[in-house]
Amino acid sequence: MKAISIATRIFLTLALVASQVAFSAASQAAVNPEEILRKADRARGGVSDGLSWGIQMQNSGSSTLIKYEVKVKGNNVLARCQEPARQKGEVFLFNDRNLWVFRPGLKKPVSLSPRQRLTGQAANGDIATTNYARDYTPKLEGEEDVDGQPTYRLFLQAKESNVTYDKIRYWITKKDFLGVKAEFLTLEGAVFKTAQFSYKNSIPVNGKEMPFVSEMKIQDATKKDDTTTIEYAKPKAEKVSDSEFNVNNLVR
Amino acid sequence: MKKALLLICLLSAPARAELDLHQYFLLEGESRTLVSSPLNPNNTIGLFPDQMARVESRSDLRANAGNFSLLLHPRARGERDRINQLSSSQASLFLQEGYLQWSILENLDLKVGRVQFGWGPAESITPTNWFAPLIQLEPSPRYEQLGIYRAQASWSVGQGFNWIVAQEIGAPRDSWNSKFDTVADTYRERLLTKAEWNWDRSNKIIGVVAGGLQETGGFGLRGGAYGSWNLNDAWQLYADTVFQKRKLESQWLALATAGFRYTFENGAEIRAEGIFNERGYSHGKQKAALELLAANPSLITRAYLLAARENLSGQEYGYLAFRWTNPGFFPSFFQTPSVSFRALHSFTDDSQVVLAYLEGGFLDRFNASLYGGLFNGRDRTELHLLSDNLLGFSLSYSL
């Protein structure tokens, strides 16, 4: 009786463990990281025809607010500076990661390398729309809570070398598929900056209001008080012509 | 005819217009050492100021109404110069740019008026832009190139292709003594067509250009190409070449530049360019020409000195530039500070000019610059005369 009881206990334990493993594997298989990432991109500008919005940037320790009127389409951005007064009239054009700057009085637009940033901690790609699903291969690392919200934790590996960040760790809420936190990693895998996102805006998509990014707070991983805050205002889905992003049309 | 066209455009525009105005004021001052030379003995020919103080009001106005846009950049300038120990003052009102733009279609624009439009990957000179190819050796960082009166049509296909046709339509009416400081800025009936392609996310660009302009003896033809290639985030290679044939010449002569840009991880960049001017004088010919002119001063005019400066009289040049925006060593109250150096070396006569700049903004409305220049070379070289022992400052305030 005692021997059968032990064998039964062992069998039941093994069966229980096996069922847990099988259940976990089935759950994982049901979660498609590419689909999660694609849904998260929509809330950060992954709209095909184009978007316009206002951007306000501020670096820590500075009282200066930098404001742009922005048109975006895919990885192209046209940003016209409205404030501060001394920079008014400057126009920035991003063709993917290549940056052109035009200032009134300059003979021609000046081409800058992707290594030259707009300002502070923000990379040039941070004011553009996000298309992580196109540019990165995601892997589901796990699940955890961020500020009380259950999220998927994805690890994103750049598909090509010419994207803004090579590796990203990205937390996306399970309920609304909104990216709420990101860690940007060096080639060696060390975190060099982090970002947190808020979604207080909304835009109509297919007749339904969809949450849209309202703020991105970027922080240097080593100098915690070195931050840049980007606020996105009045996002509007609109048809933007590709020719708006042709450098020869920069002054129109 | 032009006024009638302008009136038709304005009357057919919708009543509601969007206005955008940027108003700012500029204060500049410069001093330099003027060297007496055979071509400019005691500065009696050039009459260049050794001290200059200038105030300028600059307005950038854009009005949009439907498919029409009006852009106006009026400038009001007051200047006090010291020339050969004598002070003089002058005031002028002029248009840096002013044109009407008609967006006929979403990707087709027409501009008529005084237009400044540039392209090309090189920093020192744009050979393919014979509207305004000039080397950017004006010392002041606030220097503005004046637009040229033209009609210009631009057609784009997406982001990757653009075609422009431009025709110069009239002579500038400004007094060249005060603003048009080069003889290049006279009516030349310039005609140009340019097609540009970019692909691979603008990492590769190529353009072809054709047309011509009035030169001595008749209408001279020009044709050329330019291109740039971003190898990666750090390296860019580029070139810009035009072939020129004057009416009375039997051969095509090249004006070409090629160079590279390297950008460091911290955003600082260096550029190096080589310039070849097949029409320019070799060392021997330049020496002979200068001796002839010096022997007969009546042949020399201020216009010649300025043209020599702008038109690259020599044959081979090297250009080097360094620029660093937002370096960490500036005090924190400076906004978007930058430091830059530019140097041009003439292999023809072994002369160099070096210009250095410090710039920065503060209090959200001010931009300040401190700049200086040094020239080194034989005294018979006039090319860089205005940059010797130069010290200047500029301060702008935006409303």
Side-chain angles (χ1 to χ4, degrees), chain A residues 64 76 85-86 88 95-98 106-108 111 113 115-116 162 243 245-246 248-249 252, chain B residues 62 109 116 120 122 132 156 159 194 196 201-203 230 233 261 263 267 335-336 364 367:
Chain A
T64 299
N76 291 323
R86 66 176 189 85
K88 183 170 176 169
N95 287 152
D96 196 5
R97 297 173 68 230
N98 290 309
L106 276 187
K107 181 180 157 185
K108 59 179 181 176
S111 157
S113 155
R115 288 183 168 182
Q116 288 161 317
N162 59 348
S243 60
F245 308 104
N246 190 307
N248 293 279
N249 296 328
R252 295 181 92 183
Chain B
R62 177 178 282 274
D109 289 330
Q116 173 198 285
S156 300
Q159 174 210 321
K194 176 176 85 77
E196 181 181 295
R201 304 176 182 182
S202 291
N203 284 314
N230 292 336
D233 281 2
R261 180 192 73 198
T263 310
Q335 299 165 337
T336 327
D364 290 349
N367 277 316

mmCIF file of all heavy atoms in Angstrom, chain A residues 64 76 85-86 88 95-98 106-108 111 113 115-116 162 243 245-246 248-249 252, chain B residues 62 109 116 120 122 132 156 159 194 196 201-203 230 233 261 263 267 335-336 364 367:
data_model
loop_
_atom_site.group_PDB
_atom_site.id
_atom_site.type_symbol
_atom_site.label_atom_id
_atom_site.label_comp_id
_atom_site.label_asym_id
_atom_site.label_seq_id
_atom_site.Cartn_x
_atom_site.Cartn_y
_atom_site.Cartn_z
ATOM 1 N N THR A 64 14.903 76.090 -21.688
ATOM 2 C CA THR A 64 14.499 76.302 -23.078
ATOM 3 C C THR A 64 13.569 75.204 -23.556
ATOM 4 O O THR A 64 13.854 74.019 -23.419
ATOM 5 C CB THR A 64 15.741 76.329 -23.985
ATOM 6 O OG1 THR A 64 16.577 77.402 -23.581
ATOM 7 C CG2 THR A 64 15.346 76.516 -25.435
ATOM 8 N N ASN A 76 10.506 59.016 -42.516
ATOM 9 C CA ASN A 76 10.828 60.370 -42.969
ATOM 10 C C ASN A 76 10.139 61.381 -42.074
ATOM 11 O O ASN A 76 8.982 61.217 -41.699
ATOM 12 C CB ASN A 76 10.368 60.580 -44.418
ATOM 13 C CG ASN A 76 11.190 59.773 -45.385
ATOM 14 O OD1 ASN A 76 12.397 59.616 -45.201
ATOM 15 N ND2 ASN A 76 10.552 59.249 -46.411
ATOM 16 N N ALA A 85 12.899 81.585 -30.252
ATOM 17 C CA ALA A 85 12.871 82.603 -31.305
ATOM 18 C C ALA A 85 14.145 82.598 -32.128
ATOM 19 O O ALA A 85 14.105 82.802 -33.348
ATOM 20 C CB ALA A 85 12.635 83.993 -30.688
ATOM 21 N N ARG A 86 15.276 82.346 -31.511
ATOM 22 C CA ARG A 86 16.535 82.431 -32.248
ATOM 23 C C ARG A 86 16.695 81.293 -33.245
ATOM 24 O O ARG A 86 17.530 81.336 -34.129
ATOM 25 C CB ARG A 86 17.729 82.461 -31.287
ATOM 26 C CG ARG A 86 17.907 81.188 -30.518
ATOM 27 C CD ARG A 86 19.148 81.226 -29.646
ATOM 28 N NE ARG A 86 19.369 79.904 -29.096
ATOM 29 C CZ ARG A 86 20.015 78.939 -29.730
ATOM 30 N NH1 ARG A 86 20.535 79.150 -30.918
ATOM 31 N NH2 ARG A 86 20.154 77.755 -29.185
ATOM 32 N N LYS A 88 13.887 80.010 -34.847
ATOM 33 C CA LYS A 88 12.687 79.953 -35.672
ATOM 34 C C LYS A 88 13.060 80.001 -37.152
ATOM 35 O O LYS A 88 13.922 80.765 -37.571
ATOM 36 C CB LYS A 88 11.761 81.128 -35.332
ATOM 37 C CG LYS A 88 10.466 81.061 -36.123
ATOM 38 C CD LYS A 88 9.448 82.052 -35.631
ATOM 39 C CE LYS A 88 8.252 81.955 -36.567
ATOM 40 N NZ LYS A 88 7.098 82.653 -36.102
ATOM 41 N N ASN A 95 15.649 61.845 -43.791
ATOM 42 C CA ASN A 95 15.356 60.742 -44.701
ATOM 43 C C ASN A 95 15.903 59.504 -44.001
ATOM 44 O O ASN A 95 17.102 59.218 -44.068
ATOM 45 C CB ASN A 95 16.041 60.938 -46.051
ATOM 46 C CG ASN A 95 15.394 62.015 -46.895
ATOM 47 O OD1 ASN A 95 16.064 62.635 -47.719
ATOM 48 N ND2 ASN A 95 14.112 62.238 -46.742
ATOM 49 N N ASP A 96 15.031 58.821 -43.299
ATOM 50 C CA ASP A 96 15.481 57.753 -42.412
ATOM 51 C C ASP A 96 16.458 58.365 -41.412
ATOM 52 O O ASP A 96 16.082 59.281 -40.690
ATOM 53 C CB ASP A 96 16.097 56.607 -43.213
ATOM 54 C CG ASP A 96 16.219 55.336 -42.375
ATOM 55 O OD1 ASP A 96 15.746 55.335 -41.231
ATOM 56 O OD2 ASP A 96 16.784 54.337 -42.854
ATOM 57 N N ARG A 97 17.694 57.934 -41.373
ATOM 58 C CA ARG A 97 18.620 58.467 -40.371
ATOM 59 C C ARG A 97 19.498 59.582 -40.909
ATOM 60 O O ARG A 97 20.306 60.143 -40.174
ATOM 61 C CB ARG A 97 19.486 57.338 -39.828
ATOM 62 C CG ARG A 97 18.675 56.273 -39.112
ATOM 63 C CD ARG A 97 19.522 55.088 -38.738
ATOM 64 N NE ARG A 97 20.475 55.451 -37.707
ATOM 65 C CZ ARG A 97 21.769 55.185 -37.772
ATOM 66 N NH1 ARG A 97 22.263 54.580 -38.818
ATOM 67 N NH2 ARG A 97 22.573 55.542 -36.797
ATOM 68 N N ASN A 98 19.353 59.907 -42.179
ATOM 69 C CA ASN A 98 20.161 60.991 -42.732
ATOM 70 C C ASN A 98 19.456 62.312 -42.502
ATOM 71 O O ASN A 98 18.285 62.478 -42.800
ATOM 72 C CB ASN A 98 20.396 60.751 -44.228
ATOM 73 C CG ASN A 98 21.318 59.587 -44.450
ATOM 74 O OD1 ASN A 98 22.394 59.517 -43.861
ATOM 75 N ND2 ASN A 98 20.913 58.646 -45.276
ATOM 76 N N LEU A 106 21.176 80.408 -45.293
ATOM 77 C CA LEU A 106 22.184 79.462 -45.758
ATOM 78 C C LEU A 106 22.068 79.319 -47.268
ATOM 79 O O LEU A 106 20.988 79.414 -47.829
ATOM 80 C CB LEU A 106 21.982 78.084 -45.127
ATOM 81 C CG LEU A 106 22.563 77.810 -43.754
ATOM 82 C CD1 LEU A 106 22.393 76.340 -43.422
ATOM 83 C CD2 LEU A 106 24.032 78.204 -43.680
ATOM 84 N N LYS A 107 23.194 79.002 -47.894
ATOM 85 C CA LYS A 107 23.190 78.863 -49.348
ATOM 86 C C LYS A 107 22.400 77.620 -49.759
ATOM 87 O O LYS A 107 21.747 77.591 -50.803
ATOM 88 C CB LYS A 107 24.641 78.758 -49.808
ATOM 89 C CG LYS A 107 24.836 78.628 -51.293
ATOM 90 C CD LYS A 107 26.334 78.529 -51.598
ATOM 91 C CE LYS A 107 26.573 77.862 -52.932
ATOM 92 N NZ LYS A 107 27.992 77.641 -53.204
ATOM 93 N N LYS A 108 22.474 76.564 -48.974
ATOM 94 C CA LYS A 108 21.819 75.320 -49.361
ATOM 95 C C LYS A 108 21.615 74.472 -48.116
ATOM 96 O O LYS A 108 22.234 74.709 -47.081
ATOM 97 C CB LYS A 108 22.691 74.565 -50.354
ATOM 98 C CG LYS A 108 24.062 74.228 -49.798
ATOM 99 C CD LYS A 108 24.915 73.467 -50.770
ATOM 100 C CE LYS A 108 26.245 73.148 -50.123
ATOM 101 N NZ LYS A 108 27.110 72.329 -50.943
ATOM 102 N N SER A 111 23.970 68.651 -45.154
ATOM 103 C CA SER A 111 23.792 67.257 -44.781
ATOM 104 C C SER A 111 24.596 66.944 -43.528
ATOM 105 O O SER A 111 25.759 67.322 -43.431
ATOM 106 C CB SER A 111 24.264 66.386 -45.956
ATOM 107 O OG SER A 111 24.623 65.108 -45.519
ATOM 108 N N SER A 113 25.581 63.914 -40.456
ATOM 109 C CA SER A 113 25.643 62.479 -40.207
ATOM 110 C C SER A 113 24.626 62.077 -39.143
ATOM 111 O O SER A 113 24.287 62.888 -38.278
ATOM 112 C CB SER A 113 27.055 62.127 -39.736
ATOM 113 O OG SER A 113 27.062 60.945 -38.965
ATOM 114 N N ARG A 115 25.245 60.653 -36.659
ATOM 115 C CA ARG A 115 25.927 60.794 -35.361
ATOM 116 C C ARG A 115 25.698 62.169 -34.756
ATOM 117 O O ARG A 115 26.043 62.398 -33.594
ATOM 118 C CB ARG A 115 27.435 60.560 -35.538
ATOM 119 C CG ARG A 115 27.764 59.108 -35.784
ATOM 120 C CD ARG A 115 29.250 58.880 -35.878
ATOM 121 N NE ARG A 115 29.554 57.456 -35.833
ATOM 122 C CZ ARG A 115 30.761 56.930 -35.859
ATOM 123 N NH1 ARG A 115 31.824 57.717 -35.947
ATOM 124 N NH2 ARG A 115 30.937 55.633 -35.808
ATOM 125 N N GLN A 116 25.166 63.083 -35.532
ATOM 126 C CA GLN A 116 24.925 64.426 -34.999
ATOM 127 C C GLN A 116 23.469 64.530 -34.593
ATOM 128 O O GLN A 116 22.566 64.398 -35.401
ATOM 129 C CB GLN A 116 25.288 65.485 -36.057
ATOM 130 C CG GLN A 116 26.775 65.570 -36.224
ATOM 131 C CD GLN A 116 27.194 66.229 -37.526
ATOM 132 O OE1 GLN A 116 26.637 65.958 -38.569
ATOM 133 N NE2 GLN A 116 28.175 67.089 -37.450
ATOM 134 N N ASN A 162 21.680 50.012 -40.091
ATOM 135 C CA ASN A 162 21.423 51.448 -40.234
ATOM 136 C C ASN A 162 20.140 51.885 -39.525
ATOM 137 O O ASN A 162 19.388 52.700 -40.027
ATOM 138 C CB ASN A 162 21.372 51.826 -41.720
ATOM 139 C CG ASN A 162 20.291 51.061 -42.460
ATOM 140 O OD1 ASN A 162 19.744 50.116 -41.926
ATOM 141 N ND2 ASN A 162 19.988 51.475 -43.659
ATOM 142 N N SER A 243 6.771 63.675 -51.674
ATOM 143 C CA SER A 243 7.644 64.748 -52.170
ATOM 144 C C SER A 243 7.924 65.799 -51.098
ATOM 145 O O SER A 243 8.844 66.587 -51.229
ATOM 146 C CB SER A 243 7.046 65.406 -53.413
ATOM 147 O OG SER A 243 5.789 65.963 -53.117
ATOM 148 N N PHE A 245 9.256 65.164 -48.444
ATOM 149 C CA PHE A 245 10.506 64.735 -47.829
ATOM 150 C C PHE A 245 11.660 64.703 -48.832
ATOM 151 O O PHE A 245 12.676 64.067 -48.595
ATOM 152 C CB PHE A 245 10.321 63.364 -47.169
ATOM 153 C CG PHE A 245 9.142 63.325 -46.226
ATOM 154 C CD1 PHE A 245 7.963 62.694 -46.600
ATOM 155 C CD2 PHE A 245 9.211 63.954 -45.000
ATOM 156 C CE1 PHE A 245 6.863 62.687 -45.748
ATOM 157 C CE2 PHE A 245 8.117 63.946 -44.144
ATOM 158 C CZ PHE A 245 6.942 63.313 -44.517
ATOM 159 N N ASN A 246 11.473 65.392 -49.961
ATOM 160 C CA ASN A 246 12.552 65.515 -50.933
ATOM 161 C C ASN A 246 13.364 66.753 -50.555
ATOM 162 O O ASN A 246 12.806 67.839 -50.407
ATOM 163 C CB ASN A 246 11.963 65.645 -52.339
ATOM 164 C CG ASN A 246 13.008 65.533 -53.411
ATOM 165 O OD1 ASN A 246 14.020 66.238 -53.395
ATOM 166 N ND2 ASN A 246 12.777 64.631 -54.363
ATOM 167 N N ASN A 248 15.133 68.725 -52.103
ATOM 168 C CA ASN A 248 15.039 69.861 -53.013
ATOM 169 C C ASN A 248 13.790 70.705 -52.756
ATOM 170 O O ASN A 248 13.684 71.816 -53.253
ATOM 171 C CB ASN A 248 15.031 69.371 -54.467
ATOM 172 C CG ASN A 248 16.349 68.764 -54.857
ATOM 173 O OD1 ASN A 248 17.308 69.448 -55.182
ATOM 174 N ND2 ASN A 248 16.422 67.427 -54.807
ATOM 175 N N ASN A 249 12.856 70.173 -51.984
ATOM 176 C CA ASN A 249 11.638 70.907 -51.654
ATOM 177 C C ASN A 249 11.662 71.424 -50.228
ATOM 178 O O ASN A 249 10.621 71.766 -49.666
ATOM 179 C CB ASN A 249 10.413 70.007 -51.835
ATOM 180 C CG ASN A 249 10.225 69.578 -53.269
ATOM 181 O OD1 ASN A 249 10.555 70.319 -54.188
ATOM 182 N ND2 ASN A 249 9.714 68.371 -53.467
ATOM 183 N N ARG A 252 9.614 75.489 -48.992
ATOM 184 C CA ARG A 252 8.382 75.578 -49.790
ATOM 185 C C ARG A 252 7.400 76.517 -49.113
ATOM 186 O O ARG A 252 7.364 76.596 -47.897
ATOM 187 C CB ARG A 252 7.713 74.218 -49.921
ATOM 188 C CG ARG A 252 8.531 73.242 -50.693
ATOM 189 C CD ARG A 252 7.839 71.933 -50.834
ATOM 190 N NE ARG A 252 7.075 71.890 -52.056
ATOM 191 C CZ ARG A 252 6.311 70.863 -52.406
ATOM 192 N NH1 ARG A 252 6.184 69.864 -51.622
ATOM 193 N NH2 ARG A 252 5.651 70.872 -53.525
ATOM 194 N N ARG B 62 6.608 84.841 -44.632
ATOM 195 C CA ARG B 62 5.987 83.895 -45.569
ATOM 196 C C ARG B 62 4.478 83.997 -45.410
ATOM 197 O O ARG B 62 3.965 83.925 -44.294
ATOM 198 C CB ARG B 62 6.447 82.470 -45.303
ATOM 199 C CG ARG B 62 5.778 81.439 -46.213
ATOM 200 C CD ARG B 62 6.304 80.029 -45.948
ATOM 201 N NE ARG B 62 7.597 79.813 -46.543
ATOM 202 C CZ ARG B 62 7.794 79.426 -47.796
ATOM 203 N NH1 ARG B 62 6.772 79.234 -48.596
ATOM 204 N NH2 ARG B 62 9.009 79.254 -48.274
ATOM 205 N N ASP B 109 5.989 72.726 -58.515
ATOM 206 C CA ASP B 109 6.017 74.101 -58.023
ATOM 207 C C ASP B 109 6.603 75.016 -59.070
ATOM 208 O O ASP B 109 7.495 74.625 -59.825
ATOM 209 C CB ASP B 109 6.944 74.224 -56.795
ATOM 210 C CG ASP B 109 6.353 73.567 -55.579
ATOM 211 O OD1 ASP B 109 5.128 73.541 -55.471
ATOM 212 O OD2 ASP B 109 7.145 73.062 -54.760
ATOM 213 N N GLN B 116 17.073 82.228 -53.941
ATOM 214 C CA GLN B 116 18.357 81.632 -53.603
ATOM 215 C C GLN B 116 18.128 80.133 -53.473
ATOM 216 O O GLN B 116 17.288 79.696 -52.705
ATOM 217 C CB GLN B 116 18.859 82.204 -52.274
ATOM 218 C CG GLN B 116 20.105 81.517 -51.744
ATOM 219 C CD GLN B 116 20.316 81.800 -50.263
ATOM 220 O OE1 GLN B 116 20.716 82.876 -49.881
ATOM 221 N NE2 GLN B 116 20.014 80.836 -49.431
ATOM 222 N N GLY B 120 24.158 70.304 -53.725
ATOM 223 C CA GLY B 120 25.507 69.761 -53.879
ATOM 224 C C GLY B 120 26.106 69.370 -52.546
ATOM 225 O O GLY B 120 25.875 69.998 -51.527
ATOM 226 N N ALA B 122 29.390 69.199 -51.701
ATOM 227 C CA ALA B 122 30.648 69.811 -51.276
ATOM 228 C C ALA B 122 30.363 71.090 -50.505
ATOM 229 O O ALA B 122 29.354 71.759 -50.715
ATOM 230 C CB ALA B 122 31.534 70.103 -52.487
ATOM 231 N N ALA B 132 25.143 80.169 -58.373
ATOM 232 C CA ALA B 132 25.843 80.603 -57.153
ATOM 233 C C ALA B 132 26.844 79.548 -56.710
ATOM 234 O O ALA B 132 26.617 78.855 -55.737
ATOM 235 C CB ALA B 132 24.842 80.895 -56.035
ATOM 236 N N SER B 156 8.773 66.851 -58.508
ATOM 237 C CA SER B 156 9.316 65.751 -57.706
ATOM 238 C C SER B 156 8.480 64.501 -57.928
ATOM 239 O O SER B 156 7.261 64.578 -58.112
ATOM 240 C CB SER B 156 9.283 66.089 -56.215
ATOM 241 O OG SER B 156 10.032 67.235 -55.948
ATOM 242 N N GLN B 159 9.979 60.878 -52.837
ATOM 243 C CA GLN B 159 11.121 61.438 -52.119
ATOM 244 C C GLN B 159 12.390 61.280 -52.930
ATOM 245 O O GLN B 159 13.375 61.973 -52.711
ATOM 246 C CB GLN B 159 11.216 60.694 -50.787
ATOM 247 C CG GLN B 159 12.414 61.011 -49.947
ATOM 248 C CD GLN B 159 12.820 59.837 -49.109
ATOM 249 O OE1 GLN B 159 11.947 59.125 -48.593
ATOM 250 N NE2 GLN B 159 14.102 59.596 -48.954
ATOM 251 N N LYS B 194 18.304 70.529 -63.908
ATOM 252 C CA LYS B 194 18.962 69.605 -62.984
ATOM 253 C C LYS B 194 18.023 68.469 -62.633
ATOM 254 O O LYS B 194 16.870 68.709 -62.290
ATOM 255 C CB LYS B 194 19.364 70.352 -61.703
ATOM 256 C CG LYS B 194 19.972 69.466 -60.628
ATOM 257 C CD LYS B 194 20.423 70.286 -59.428
ATOM 258 C CE LYS B 194 19.300 70.534 -58.438
ATOM 259 N NZ LYS B 194 19.015 69.369 -57.603
ATOM 260 N N GLU B 196 17.868 65.044 -60.107
ATOM 261 C CA GLU B 196 18.551 64.419 -58.960
ATOM 262 C C GLU B 196 17.785 63.181 -58.525
ATOM 263 O O GLU B 196 16.561 63.196 -58.390
ATOM 264 C CB GLU B 196 18.644 65.404 -57.796
ATOM 265 C CG GLU B 196 19.348 64.843 -56.569
ATOM 266 C CD GLU B 196 19.405 65.842 -55.418
ATOM 267 O OE1 GLU B 196 20.065 66.885 -55.560
ATOM 268 O OE2 GLU B 196 18.781 65.563 -54.373
ATOM 269 N N ARG B 201 17.583 55.074 -48.873
ATOM 270 C CA ARG B 201 17.304 55.966 -47.749
ATOM 271 C C ARG B 201 18.189 57.205 -47.784
ATOM 272 O O ARG B 201 18.689 57.654 -46.764
ATOM 273 C CB ARG B 201 17.468 55.239 -46.409
ATOM 274 C CG ARG B 201 16.606 53.998 -46.297
ATOM 275 C CD ARG B 201 16.855 53.245 -45.012
ATOM 276 N NE ARG B 201 16.052 52.045 -44.940
ATOM 277 C CZ ARG B 201 16.039 51.214 -43.900
ATOM 278 N NH1 ARG B 201 16.768 51.470 -42.846
ATOM 279 N NH2 ARG B 201 15.289 50.148 -43.919
ATOM 280 N N SER B 202 18.393 57.753 -48.985
ATOM 281 C CA SER B 202 19.209 58.950 -49.223
ATOM 282 C C SER B 202 20.669 58.737 -48.895
ATOM 283 O O SER B 202 21.424 59.705 -48.794
ATOM 284 C CB SER B 202 18.702 60.149 -48.410
ATOM 285 O OG SER B 202 17.477 60.580 -48.887
ATOM 286 N N ASN B 203 21.096 57.496 -48.742
ATOM 287 C CA ASN B 203 22.523 57.255 -48.550
ATOM 288 C C ASN B 203 23.299 57.408 -49.852
ATOM 289 O O ASN B 203 24.512 57.542 -49.839
ATOM 290 C CB ASN B 203 22.765 55.857 -47.976
ATOM 291 C CG ASN B 203 22.422 55.796 -46.497
ATOM 292 O OD1 ASN B 203 22.806 56.680 -45.733
ATOM 293 N ND2 ASN B 203 21.702 54.771 -46.100
ATOM 294 N N ASN B 230 27.014 57.718 -48.661
ATOM 295 C CA ASN B 230 27.264 57.478 -47.235
ATOM 296 C C ASN B 230 27.688 56.030 -47.060
ATOM 297 O O ASN B 230 26.882 55.112 -47.218
ATOM 298 C CB ASN B 230 26.000 57.749 -46.413
ATOM 299 C CG ASN B 230 25.630 59.207 -46.412
ATOM 300 O OD1 ASN B 230 26.472 60.072 -46.625
ATOM 301 N ND2 ASN B 230 24.365 59.500 -46.182
ATOM 302 N N ASP B 233 27.661 55.481 -40.875
ATOM 303 C CA ASP B 233 27.356 56.679 -40.091
ATOM 304 C C ASP B 233 28.523 57.661 -40.077
ATOM 305 O O ASP B 233 28.330 58.857 -39.900
ATOM 306 C CB ASP B 233 27.036 56.298 -38.630
ATOM 307 C CG ASP B 233 25.627 55.770 -38.500
ATOM 308 O OD1 ASP B 233 24.937 55.664 -39.523
ATOM 309 O OD2 ASP B 233 25.219 55.447 -37.370
ATOM 310 N N ARG B 261 33.687 63.394 -45.829
ATOM 311 C CA ARG B 261 33.311 63.877 -44.505
ATOM 312 C C ARG B 261 33.449 62.718 -43.538
ATOM 313 O O ARG B 261 32.970 61.617 -43.816
ATOM 314 C CB ARG B 261 31.866 64.378 -44.498
ATOM 315 C CG ARG B 261 31.383 64.900 -43.146
ATOM 316 C CD ARG B 261 29.876 65.110 -43.134
ATOM 317 N NE ARG B 261 29.175 63.850 -43.084
ATOM 318 C CZ ARG B 261 27.884 63.696 -43.406
ATOM 319 N NH1 ARG B 261 27.187 64.721 -43.828
ATOM 320 N NH2 ARG B 261 27.306 62.513 -43.318
ATOM 321 N N THR B 263 32.613 61.811 -39.485
ATOM 322 C CA THR B 263 31.955 62.268 -38.269
ATOM 323 C C THR B 263 32.344 61.369 -37.111
ATOM 324 O O THR B 263 32.201 60.149 -37.186
ATOM 325 C CB THR B 263 30.423 62.251 -38.429
ATOM 326 O OG1 THR B 263 30.057 62.915 -39.632
ATOM 327 C CG2 THR B 263 29.752 62.960 -37.258
ATOM 328 N N GLY B 267 29.898 63.543 -32.550
ATOM 329 C CA GLY B 267 29.215 64.467 -33.444
ATOM 330 C C GLY B 267 30.123 65.467 -34.146
ATOM 331 O O GLY B 267 29.683 66.156 -35.060
ATOM 332 N N GLN B 335 23.435 78.011 -25.652
ATOM 333 C CA GLN B 335 22.503 77.106 -26.313
ATOM 334 C C GLN B 335 23.039 76.789 -27.702
ATOM 335 O O GLN B 335 23.385 77.687 -28.454
ATOM 336 C CB GLN B 335 21.123 77.768 -26.389
ATOM 337 C CG GLN B 335 20.551 78.076 -25.014
ATOM 338 C CD GLN B 335 19.376 79.055 -25.062
ATOM 339 O OE1 GLN B 335 19.226 79.822 -25.993
ATOM 340 N NE2 GLN B 335 18.554 79.021 -24.033
ATOM 341 N N THR B 336 23.056 75.516 -28.015
ATOM 342 C CA THR B 336 23.574 75.018 -29.296
ATOM 343 C C THR B 336 24.913 75.674 -29.648
ATOM 344 O O THR B 336 25.075 76.265 -30.712
ATOM 345 C CB THR B 336 22.572 75.273 -30.448
ATOM 346 O OG1 THR B 336 21.245 75.178 -29.966
ATOM 347 C CG2 THR B 336 22.751 74.236 -31.546
ATOM 348 N N ASP B 364 17.412 82.251 -25.262
ATOM 349 C CA ASP B 364 16.415 81.856 -26.274
ATOM 350 C C ASP B 364 16.244 82.843 -27.421
ATOM 351 O O ASP B 364 15.606 82.530 -28.412
ATOM 352 C CB ASP B 364 15.027 81.634 -25.633
ATOM 353 C CG ASP B 364 14.988 80.393 -24.768
ATOM 354 O OD1 ASP B 364 15.951 79.611 -24.830
ATOM 355 O OD2 ASP B 364 14.015 80.209 -24.026
ATOM 356 N N ASN B 367 21.800 85.171 -30.559
ATOM 357 C CA ASN B 367 22.873 84.351 -31.136
ATOM 358 C C ASN B 367 24.126 85.213 -31.179
ATOM 359 O O ASN B 367 24.069 86.358 -31.640
ATOM 360 C CB ASN B 367 22.541 83.915 -32.576
ATOM 361 C CG ASN B 367 21.668 82.690 -32.613
ATOM 362 O OD1 ASN B 367 21.876 81.729 -31.885
ATOM 363 N ND2 ASN B 367 20.665 82.713 -33.457
#
